[in-house]
Each structure stands twice: as C-alpha cells, then as structure tokens.
Amino acid sequence: MFDLILRNCNLPDGRRGMDIGIRGGRIAVVEAALAGVAGESIDAAGQLVTPPFVDAHFHMDATLSYGLPRVNQSGTLLEGIALWGELKPLLTQEALVERALAYCDWAVAKGLLAIRSHVDVCDPRLLAVEALLHVKDKVRPYLDLQLVAFPQDGVLRSPGALDNLKRALDMGVDVVGGIPHFERTMADGAESVRILCELAAERGLPVDMHCDESDDPLSRHVETLAFHAQRLGLQGRVTGSHLTSMHSMDNYYVSKLLPLMAEAGVAAVANPLINITLQGRHDTYPKRRGMTRVPELLAAGIPVAFGHDCVMDPWYSLGSGDMLEVAAMGLHVAQMTSQDGMRACFAAVTATPARILGLDGYGLEPGCRADLVLLQAGDPVEALRLRATRLLVLRGGRIVARSPAAVATLNLPGRPSRVDFSHRT
Ligand code: FE2
C-alpha cells in the first residue's frame, strides 16, 4: 500500500510520534499509528523529521575557490570583490562545474536540497552562467538549484553588464539580481533598482538583489526596492538580500521603512555567518554586528530567511553547507534565544526560504514531495543546539544520503559508556 513508512517521527510543528506514509515519491498520509503495509519501514525513534533545508542566498560560482589566487587579507567585502575580479579571468568551465558539483554533494549530505544561487554576469563570456545552468540540469534529480543573474560589478558601473544580464536571462537564469550599493553614486544605485525591477516586471520574473550590504546608515536602496515592487505590482516576488545597513540606520527611519516593505510584499534574507564576518570592519569599538534587524522584520510581518552566502571563497574561508550552523549563528547574533525565536530561526532555513523560492510541493502535507530529513534530535531547538547529524536524507522517497549517529564512547569510573548529547524534556 505504501512504498515506505517512516514511523514514530517528531515533526517541526510539535506533533510527536507521527507516521509518514510515502507512495510514488510523495507523502500520502501523515497520522499516528498508521495502518497499512509498506515495501520498507523505518523507525525514526521519536526523532525529528523535517522537510529539507533550503538556502535562500548562495554563490555557487565562487564556492570552494578559497586561496585562488590568494586569500582575502583585510576580511572586507570590498577586498573580496577585488579578489573575485582577479580570479574571474582564470576560471574555466570545467573547474566551475567540478567545484559546484562537489558543493552540491556536501549540501545533499547535510539535507540541503534547494539553493538559490547568484551567478556573476559581468564576465562577457558568461562562463559561470553556462557552467551553473549545466550544473542545475545535472543535479535536478536530487537538488533544486535556482539561479539569479547577479551583476557583481554593478549593472551600471560595469560596461556591458545590463546586456550580459539580459543574455543570462535569455539562457534560462530564473531571477533578476542587482547590487545598488556598489554602483558609483546613490542616484545610480536607485536607477539600477528601477531598471532591474522594470526588467523583471516585463519578463514576469522574481527579483533578488544584494541590497545595502554596507555599514552606511544612509544606504537606503531597500526603500527604492519596496517602492518599485509596489509600483510595478511585484508583491511577493521581490527579495532584499543582506540589508545590513539597516543595522546602523536611524530608528525613526526604520519605523517608517518596515511597513513600506511589508506593504510592498518584499521578503528579506540575512546571511548571519557572512554579515558578522564582513560588516563592522571599519569600526574600532564598539564594533557593529552588521546583521539586519531580523526580529523587527518578522514582527512587521516580513518573511525573513537566512542564507549561507559563501563557503570557502574570496569572502569567507569556512563553512560546509550546514544550514543549522547558519541558523545557530543567526539566532545568536539576533539574540533570538526564546523558544519562539529559535523556532523562527529553524523556519528561516526551511519553510520560509521554500516560500521565497516558490518551491513546488515543499512541506509535510499529503501530496507534497517526499523530500525529508531525519535528524538526530528530538525537535528543532535540539537540532539547532547540536547542529544535529542528518541520519537520513530522502529525495522523492528515496534515501540519497545517510550519516552515522554522533556518539562518543566514554571510559570513566561509574559513568555511562556512551554519550550522545541528547537532553530531551
Ligand atoms: Fe551574496
């Protein structure tokens, strides 16, 4: 009757001891004590089963290039962009594909099955675009890769960038990107937002811009982004990524800005690992954290996702595709340590980015794709605390990755011989 039943699962919404019946690659039933036979049955033993992790913001064309051709000495965004500029002429399509596929292997092992990746369109050869479109096709059976046409050097500042961006969209890139704070002037930044939003409206595409990735409190391009989203009827299709300047903005101004973003249906993506690393570099002390105002955005009804942004590239030397690490950093930086706050941070790497990406069939409802992750944790908070091991990762009801449980063996007088760090209340 079922191809597979996962028994005794805890779910992210708090339901415990549920059985998930899977048929034809989709979830057929979710209920307690499910009757029926299955080709295979797996006992989840009261551990958390969640739809997969989703990364709303990544750069797959740069990933795993750390040290090529040198490392970032200052640790700043601007040296990272300069370093990427040095690397670009040396890129080959083979190397881009190989690194991206290697990262997708890591992602699957970590239960990360959907990624929105920006791809730089400022190289007229569009080498990275071709490479990532190839990768997108290749990984489709096990990972949803959505691509954003990203003019890294500025769509107005970099000669030919707008034409290249349009060519990338013609080739099948899914989303219109931008970087208004990197244009030559505030006025050019605002103009770039207008041009790119109009292009997206014309083509019926979503928008996801790097926006105000700066400690400058007067970097206010998100206001312009909200304005054009509203004007062009793009509600629900526009995302502002980073928004770090909001950390430093005047509080009165932010109290006006957040309702405008909510009204315009603009979503936000914070990148906690990268924001805490790159921002505040010009400060002495006190040193700003630089992450956008996550709890305040959420309170205003604005969807907020967390992205990984970078793994071992010109901007960031660490990372492993672990969205629980991203969410754990986010909850610390935003001080979202209440139970509700931590659950919102778990949602920021699962259900919320799934909505922002418009993923089809994501979730635990009957009819959803049987894309699931069994974690070595009892609930989302324990998963965050432990950066829990992904015991099983399923795509369309098929196991695509498994990891052994994290257990230590002890040799102590009068103490248990085994410790797994669980502490369930
Ligand atoms: Fe980024």
Side-chain angles (χ1 to χ4, degrees), residues 124-339:
R125 299 171 300 167
L126 293 182
L127 211 64
V129 173
E130 274 182 22
L132 289 197
L133 282 168
H134 173 73
V135 170
K136 178 181 170 169
D137 267 348
K138 190 134 177 135
V139 301
R140 197 186 306 274
Y142 52 90
L143 188 146
D144 296 307
L145 178 58
Q146 196 175 82
L147 298 177
V148 185
F150 174 48
Q152 171 75 76
D153 302 326
V155 75
L156 297 177
R157 184 171 171 178
S158 169
L162 183 58
D163 283 340
N164 297 339
L165 188 148
K166 288 178 181 169
R167 278 168 51 219
L169 297 177
D170 292 340
M171 289 162 70
V173 170
D174 313 274
V175 181
V176 177
I179 186 165
H181 57 275
F182 195 70
E183 302 292 353
R184 285 197 169 84
T185 62
M186 289 290 180
D188 269 8
E191 178 65 359
S192 78
V193 175
R194 182 188 67 78
I195 291 169
L196 293 164
C197 284
E198 288 181 357
L199 180 62
E202 247 167 57
R203 296 193 178 218
L205 295 175
V207 176
D208 188 340
M209 283 190 200
H210 284 65
C211 200
D212 304 322
E213 189 180 2
S214 153
D215 292 317
D216 174 5
L218 297 179
S219 187
R220 294 176 168 187
H221 295 296
V222 65
E223 178 189 82
T224 309
L225 185 63
F227 171 74
H228 290 296
Q230 170 83 15
R231 178 177 71 85
L232 296 164
L234 297 173
Q235 289 91 339
R237 282 164 45 193
V238 175
T239 302
S241 278
H242 288 293
L243 308 179
T244 52
S245 72
M246 196 187 293
H247 187 92
S248 302
M249 281 174 182
D250 172 70
N251 291 330
Y252 181 84
Y253 173 71
V254 173
S255 75
K256 179 195 171 201
L257 174 64
L258 296 185
L260 288 175
M261 289 176 66
E263 181 192 26
V266 172
V269 176
N271 296 297
L273 292 165
I274 306 312
N275 301 152
I276 199 76
T277 299
L278 297 182
Q279 302 307 310
R281 289 275 179 170
H282 296 264
D283 293 351
T284 54
Y285 288 94
K287 203 183 274 280
R288 284 170 288 184
R289 295 168 184 220
M291 193 168 79
T292 196
R293 302 188 188 196
V294 176
E296 292 78 8
L297 285 158
L298 288 169
I302 295 161
V304 183
F306 289 149
H308 207 316
D309 199 6
C310 303
V311 170
M312 300 193 73
D313 69 9
W315 296 273
Y316 188 59
S317 51
L318 303 169
S320 65
D322 184 350
M323 295 309 291
L324 284 171
E325 184 189 6
V326 171
M329 177 59 81
L331 81 86
H332 283 89
V333 175
Q335 299 181 325
M336 292 173 68
T337 47
S338 69
Q339 283 285 316

Side-chain angles (χ1 to χ4, degrees), residues 73-149:
Q73 292 298 332
S74 66
T76 60
L77 171 69
L78 294 179
E79 186 178 343
I81 293 174
L83 185 47
W84 175 239
E86 290 170 36
L87 176 56
K88 261 194 269 190
L90 312 176
L91 291 174
T92 66
Q93 208 176 122
E94 294 71 24
L96 281 159
V97 169
E98 195 182 315
R99 288 200 296 263
L101 288 175
Y103 183 74
C104 289
D105 293 344
W106 293 10
V108 170
K110 295 285 188 188
L112 168 55
L113 299 188
I115 300 174
R116 175 180 276 184
S117 174
H118 296 253
V119 50
D120 188 359
V121 297
C122 285
D123 171 2
R125 299 171 300 167
L126 293 182
L127 211 64
V129 173
E130 274 182 22
L132 289 197
L133 282 168
H134 173 73
V135 170
K136 178 181 170 169
D137 267 348
K138 190 134 177 135
V139 301
R140 197 186 306 274
Y142 52 90
L143 188 146
D144 296 307
L145 178 58
Q146 196 175 82
L147 298 177
V148 185

Side-chain angles (χ1 to χ4, degrees), residues 53-57 268-270 272 294 298 303-308 323 326-327 330 336 341-354 356:
F53 296 104
V54 180
D55 185 355
H57 187 112
V269 176
V294 176
L298 288 169
V304 183
F306 289 149
H308 207 316
M323 295 309 291
V326 171
M336 292 173 68
M342 290 191 280
R343 285 174 186 276
C345 290
F346 189 83
V349 293
T350 51
T352 307
I356 292 172

